[in-house]
Amino acid sequence: MFFNSWDNIYRTVIVGICSYLLLILVLRISGKRTLSKMNAFDLIVTVALGSTLATILLNKKVALVEGFTAFCVLIGLQYLVAWTSVHSKTVSKLIKSNPTLLYYKGSYLHDEMKKERVLEVEILQAARSQGLSSLEQAEAVVLESDGSFSVIKKSDKEGSSTLQNISKK
């Protein structure tokens, strides 16, 4: 239960180092998009890569070359879908969500908040994170496609607002 053999330990260390280096290599080759801020699709690919890495490390029946092939397939598909979404509005709409306005000029947009499952307290937290003492100082709050909140502060000059990005926690 606590220890099977030194061979298992050696295999885990060697395969772990090799698969880690191969994963880094494939991620670097695939470009910045693979490592960028994640939308839902990117999150799924990242979780799948982690699961693949764990399987390579712990399952003796999966050879390193098979795991490397799985890395390449997942990252290749992610690259293909990202490339296609740049060149096709239809695919882009399927893959990426649009930003959603949640608060505007003193009013919560409750229908949008309900659709996005966001509470008023989360919008207030976003404003406080930007140093605002109340939402009266905010022109708008937007839920971005990556899950972060953007707060557009009211400014002293009409027509000019400052956009501040806030990570959703």
Side-chain angles (χ1 to χ4, degrees), residues 19 23 25-26 29-30 33 54 63 65 76 82 84 86 93-94 113 119-120 123 127 131 133-134 147-148 155 157 159:
S19 59
L23 181 59
L25 176 70
V26 173
I29 291 170
S30 68
R33 174 78 176 104
V65 173
T84 306
V86 168
K93 287 180 183 178
L94 288 171
M113 290 170 59
L119 302 173
E120 287 183 15
I123 294 172
S133 58
S134 73
S148 64
S155 66
K157 298 178 183 178

Side-chain angles (χ1 to χ4, degrees), residues 97-116:
S97 62
N98 291 322
T100 304
L101 188 62
L102 302 173
Y103 176 87
Y104 185 66
K105 291 189 176 182
S107 297
Y108 289 100
L109 304 176
H110 291 284
D111 290 341
E112 297 299 320
M113 290 170 59
K114 186 175 182 179
K115 186 172 95 177
E116 297 295 341

